[in-house]
Amino acid sequence: MIREKIKKQLKKWRGTLIITPCIAGLVITGSHIGIFRILEWATLDQLFRLRPQETVDKRIVIVTIDEPDIQYVKQWPMSDQVMAKMIRNIKAQQPRAIAIDVYRDLAVEPGHTELVKEFQNTPNFIGIEKVAGKPVAPPPTLAKVGQVAANDLLTDTDGKIRRGIILLGKPDQSLLQGLGVKLALMYLEKEGIELKAINADKQIYGLGKAKFVPLSSNDGEYNQADMGGYQILMNYRGGLESFPHISMTDVLENRIPADVMRDRLVLIGAKAPSLNDNYSTPYNNNLFIPTELIPGVVVHANLTSQILSAAIEGRPMLQATVKPFNWLLIFFWSGYSATLGSIYIKRPWLTLGGLLLAAVIIVISAYLAFLGGWLIPVFAPQLTIVSATVVSVVHVLWRNLMLSYRKLADYAHTLEYKVQERTAQLAQANEEIIVLNEKLKGENLRMSAELDIIRQMQQMILPKQEELEAIEALDIAGFMEAADEVGGDYYDVLDTDGVVTLGIGDVTGHGLESGLLMLMTQTAVRTLKEIRETDSVRFLDTLNRTIYKNVQRMNSDKSLTLVILNYAQGQVSISGQHEETIVVRKGGDIECIDTMDLGFPIGLDDDIADFISHTTLELEPGDGIVLYTDGITEAKDMNKIQYGMEPLCEVISQNWHKSAEEIKDAVITDVRRHIGKQKVFDDITLLVFKRQGEVIENPN
């Protein structure tokens, strides 16, 4: 009895039990081989931007070398005489330690003897040496007395610095401390805080209230190829504004505020763009608002500040969760989402609500963990819940559809058998045929209802009027009408962090597969927006790979054209391949932008990154853009004459002084007039938006 109940339950949840490990396995495999690492890093970078601004660390003072400073000394590298003068002026303030992030392996006359004397008379002065790549030797005088540190910086595969060096091995098998570490230890030594071994075998050390655990290939998105030396994750305090700073010119002219450097750590380094010592960090992750690169000396200052704050104040260090824990999270969310998808037919709102709740929990838990010093994955779990839910819903719909087809086949077979067997009983046979026909009608209605579910899902995810009205400075109106029960057109309007994203697309054909592909596209676009992916190439490339793999799994030949517009502060960025984009200026003048070279059809190939581009334009108040699908321009009348672009542009231009809603209504009315009594053969979708800033005239 118990065994039968178990078998019954296993059969009931068989789809979920299969989908859960399959989706989890695919995402875990992709994560393990590094497919998602850049997207994961980009997502986690947002946590640095969302975290509350920290106070200025006054224990560290930075002397910056900018373009005006180079012009002031009239040569680069600066002469040894200039460097000696700068060291003397700084020493007069009695700092705790001085470090210069400028190579000095060779003499730069005049003044070399003078500089060597300053090196010899400054026991708290630290020079630099580059160890990895193309090595650069340290100043010989400082090397003899061990006053040297490594200034090497570690960049991830996307070019950003997220890791700091504690120790670095040299070719002679000796170990060299990183610049930021050496300065921190010199500061803490005078505070009576020394490094202590907690577990020497695992290289875990204590320093005051801080605990050092080396980064390993089993942590986060890193692998064995990223390892080398003793590394930790950087817990940035901020950019140059997070530290007191003064220009080299002010130091040379002795315009240093009183006691600003007394008993503090002083770092000297380049900021000038021409010296090419500026780097990308987690703070450089905004496509629309340019962000300055961070000088290398500021990166070293951040590592020093991180160690000091952790050792003295207990500020959290930063660690990434181990891969097995991340995989367990992915498996959990896969099972959770597959279960939600399996009940979609009976409880659609529970499925959608549970999916939204999961997305919120993932983001909030990642943020709270980050504040506590832990990095946990965000993108992979989000991808898991979307993929598992979509696949589970599709599986349930497909299973129900197959059951209907099987019943139809059984009914047909039964009908044929009875007709052959009872030819002599025509009256009774006719009655049975009538009954069977009624059943067939019922099954057809059921299949129609299943398709209607997809149609309802499409309508539910379209932007609501109140959402459009809530978007400041834009007047937006949209329209979509399917030619069949389930359409293949897509449009959406999303407002994230002040950037309004508008998308429109056209899936080949219409029906169940096209409708599902439209839903997948909407979900993937929203997911990428929610993780703040702003790079147009990564955005469309990731979207394409997601859709392409689902299309392959469905054994379908569907694809879609898609254009994405990002609007912020009067500037529009356009990327993706679709119909021409109609740009309308304030007076009704029209420009058409061809998108053929801005992208590639989504779902045709697994790699379209090389085909993706974007173009930008400015919108003044009263300007706007109209997006449409070919269901409008290719709409035919009874004589099979297409509506075309010229009438569309003419109606838009003539009505541009009206509101977006009125312009939309005018276009749709004119298209219906052209179609007349002819059947509509393709989906019709239209999206109108205007930049507000002038009074909209109402002819009524």
Side-chain angles (χ1 to χ4, degrees):
M1 190 68 175
I2 296 177
R3 182 178 296 178
E4 292 299 322
K5 288 183 178 180
I6 293 175
K7 287 183 178 180
K8 186 177 180 180
Q9 290 297 318
L10 288 175
K11 185 176 182 181
K12 178 182 178 181
W13 296 100
R14 181 173 55 188
T16 301
L17 294 174
I18 294 175
I19 292 171
T20 295
C22 288
I23 295 296
L26 288 173
V27 176
I28 290 171
T29 301
S31 178
H32 183 65
I33 64 179
I35 294 177
F36 310 130
R37 68 190 319 204
I38 292 179
L39 290 171
E40 196 70 70
W41 283 332
T43 304
L44 294 173
D45 286 348
Q46 300 301 321
L47 300 178
F48 283 96
R49 306 172 66 85
L50 294 173
R51 182 174 62 182
Q53 181 69 38
E54 298 193 47
T55 58
V56 174
D57 192 340
K58 296 182 179 180
R59 295 167 298 199
I60 302 169
V61 179
I62 299 176
V63 178
T64 60
I65 304 172
D66 210 344
E67 301 295 350
D69 301 306
I70 297 174
Q71 295 172 6
Y72 176 80
V73 299
K74 295 183 173 56
Q75 74 174 92
W76 193 262
M78 73 178 87
S79 70
D80 288 348
Q81 187 179 53
V82 170
M83 184 176 289
K85 181 180 179 181
M86 180 167 53
I87 294 172
R88 281 197 301 272
N89 290 349
I90 293 173
K91 282 172 59 180
Q93 290 245 331
Q94 297 180 357
R96 192 169 291 194
I98 308 170
I100 185 164
D101 189 21
V102 176
Y103 295 119
R104 218 54 172 185
D105 54 323
L106 300 174
V108 182
E109 297 291 357
H112 182 62
T113 303
E114 182 181 352
L115 179 61
V116 170
K117 184 178 179 181
E118 287 298 328
F119 285 165
Q120 292 171 341
N121 295 332
T122 313
N124 62 341
F125 186 87
I126 304 300
I128 59 168
E129 173 182 358
K130 189 175 187 306
V131 177
K134 296 180 180 179
V136 178
T141 304
L142 296 177
K144 291 178 181 178
V145 292
Q147 293 174 217
V148 175
N151 78 325
D152 296 73
L153 296 174
L154 297 172
T155 57
D156 291 333
T157 52
D158 61 350
K160 292 184 179 179
I161 298 176
R162 299 183 180 89
R163 296 170 286 157
I165 292 177
I166 301 297
L167 290 172
L168 196 61
K170 297 178 63 176
D172 61 2
Q173 305 303 313
S174 63
L175 296 175
L176 190 64
Q177 292 175 341
L179 180 58
V181 178
K182 192 171 187 68
L183 287 173
L185 292 177
M186 291 176 68
Y187 187 97
L188 293 172
E189 184 179 3
K190 291 191 176 182
E191 299 292 325
I193 299 175
E194 297 181 354
L195 197 67
K196 298 179 180 179
I198 296 176
N199 187 332
D201 294 336
K202 295 184 178 181
Q203 296 184 306
I204 300 176
Y205 298 93
L207 186 65
K209 297 180 181 180
K211 180 180 178 182
F212 287 84
V213 179
L215 184 69
S216 74
S217 58
N218 196 39
D219 296 335
E221 299 302 315
Y222 294 97
N223 52 45
Q224 191 59 44
D226 301 316
M227 297 299 103
Y230 192 117
Q231 306 176 18
I232 62 170
L233 291 175
M234 294 278 291
N235 192 1
Y236 283 91
R237 179 176 290 272
L240 183 60
E241 72 282 354
S242 297
F243 305 92
H245 51 278
I246 185 172
S247 71
M248 182 177 74
T249 301
D250 287 341
V251 172
L252 291 173
E253 294 188 355
N254 214 12
R255 294 196 297 262
I256 308 173
D259 295 331
V260 72
M261 297 178 179
R262 186 175 300 278
D263 205 34
R264 291 174 170 84
L265 300 174
V266 180
L267 283 89
I268 308 166
K271 177 187 175 186
S274 62
L275 300 183
N276 198 29
D277 194 28
N278 297 304
Y279 300 89
S280 182
T281 69
Y283 294 100
N284 304 106
N285 195 31
N286 196 310
L287 180 64
F288 300 101
I289 302 175
T291 52
E292 290 186 4
L293 299 178
I294 292 183
V297 67
V298 178
V299 176
H300 293 301
N302 266 280
L303 183 56
T304 302
S305 175
Q306 176 180 344
I307 296 171
L308 294 180
S309 299
I312 298 173
E313 303 152 13
R315 178 176 180 259
M317 299 290 281
L318 202 57
Q319 290 180 253
T321 52
V322 295
K323 287 183 172 64
F325 175 80
N326 298 341
W327 298 341
L328 186 62
L329 279 181
I330 291 171
F331 192 87
F332 169 78
W333 287 118
S334 180
Y336 172 89
S337 304
T339 303
L340 284 179
S342 67
I343 63 173
Y344 178 80
I345 299 297
K346 296 180 179 179
R347 299 179 181 178
W349 287 110
L350 181 59
T351 299
L352 297 176
L355 182 63
L356 178 61
L357 178 63
V360 171
I361 289 174
I362 290 170
V363 173
I364 292 178
S365 60
Y367 180 71
L368 294 177
F370 175 73
L371 295 180
W374 286 95
L375 288 181
I376 62 175
V378 176
F379 178 80
Q382 294 281 17
L383 178 63
T384 300
I385 64 172
V386 172
S387 302
T389 302
V390 170
V391 172
S392 185
V393 170
V394 171
H395 170 262
V396 171
L397 294 175
W398 183 258
R399 184 182 62 186
N400 288 353
L401 191 60
M402 290 298 100
L403 287 173
S404 299
Y405 281 132
R406 192 175 298 118
K407 288 181 180 179
L408 286 174
D410 291 341
Y411 288 140
H413 178 73
T414 302
L415 179 60
E416 181 181 0
Y417 174 77
K418 288 183 177 181
V419 169
Q420 292 175 353
E421 185 182 25
R422 302 176 184 179
T423 53
Q425 303 172 0
L426 293 178
Q428 184 178 354
N430 285 335
E431 291 177 0
E432 292 178 356
I433 290 173
I434 292 173
V435 172
L436 290 173
N437 282 336
E438 289 298 320
K439 290 183 178 180
L440 288 173
K441 289 179 182 179
E443 292 301 323
N444 286 333
L445 288 174
R446 181 176 177 180
M447 285 189 293
S448 176
E450 292 173 355
L451 292 174
D452 189 59
I453 290 172
I454 299 297
R455 182 186 62 77
Q456 291 180 32
M457 291 173 64
Q458 290 178 326
Q459 293 298 320
M460 284 192 295
I461 63 174
L462 290 178
K464 303 297 186 293
Q465 184 62 32
E466 55 269 23
E467 294 177 46
L468 302 181
E469 293 174 354
I471 298 176
E472 296 180 359
L474 291 181
D475 181 17
I476 307 175
F479 176 88
M480 187 175 80
E481 181 180 89
D484 206 341
E485 290 179 325
V486 178
D489 277 5
Y490 155 81
Y491 87 90
D492 207 348
V493 180
L494 302 171
D495 186 4
T496 306
D497 296 341
V499 177
V500 180
T501 298
L502 305 99
I504 191 166
D506 186 0
V507 182
T508 54
H510 37 265
L512 178 62
E513 288 187 4
S514 298
L516 288 174
L517 193 54
M518 178 270 202
L519 290 174
M520 295 176 197
T521 302
Q522 194 278 341
T523 302
V525 169
R526 177 171 282 276
T527 300
L528 289 167
K529 287 303 296 178
E530 288 300 319
I531 66 171
R532 274 60 174 180
E533 177 54 67
T534 55
D535 184 272
S536 57
V537 174
R538 290 199 299 266
F539 189 104
L540 286 176
D541 186 51
T542 303
L543 172 65
N544 174 71
R545 285 188 279 108
T546 301
I547 298 301
Y548 176 82
K549 291 178 181 178
N550 278 346
V551 168
Q552 294 299 305
R553 177 172 285 177
M554 292 164 59
N555 195 25
S556 173
D557 60 352
K558 298 291 184 181
S559 63
L560 73 149
T561 59
L562 176 68
V563 67
I564 297 292
L565 279 67
N566 286 298
Y567 171 88
Q569 300 178 352
Q571 188 176 66
V572 176
S573 172
I574 306 173
S575 59
Q577 186 185 101
H578 188 58
E579 306 295 327
E580 289 183 310
T581 298
I582 301 175
V583 181
V584 191
R585 297 303 178 182
K586 177 179 177 182
D589 295 332
I590 286 181
E591 308 166 13
C592 291
I593 298 178
D594 189 354
T595 62
M596 184 60 66
D597 295 330
L598 300 182
F600 196 80
I602 304 297
L604 276 183
D605 192 88
D606 63 339
D607 186 4
I608 66 169
D610 293 338
F611 298 95
I612 301 171
S613 182
H614 76 278
T615 185
T616 60
L617 54 91
E618 296 288 335
L619 292 183
E620 299 295 333
D623 294 348
I625 290 179
V626 177
L627 304 173
Y628 61 95
T629 59
D630 60 8
I632 291 180
T633 54
E634 295 178 7
K636 296 179 181 180
D637 61 10
M638 297 299 293
N639 297 319
K640 298 185 178 180
I641 298 175
Q642 295 184 351
Y643 182 68
M645 276 290 291
E646 187 174 341
L648 174 60
C649 293
E650 184 177 353
V651 172
I652 294 171
S653 178
Q654 291 175 354
N655 290 273
W656 193 248
H657 62 282
K658 301 178 181 179
S659 68
E661 186 70 19
E662 291 172 318
I663 297 168
K664 180 260 292 182
D665 291 341
V667 171
I668 298 303
T669 299
D670 197 58
V671 173
R672 294 194 191 282
R673 175 199 57 76
H674 174 81
I675 295 173
K677 296 182 179 180
Q678 176 64 282
K679 179 182 178 181
V680 178
F681 292 100
D682 200 358
D683 308 326
I684 295 176
T685 302
L686 181 69
L687 185 58
V688 180
F689 81 98
K690 297 176 66 176
R691 181 181 177 188
Q692 295 180 338
E694 63 175 359
V695 178
I696 299 175
E697 300 176 4
N698 192 334
N700 297 328

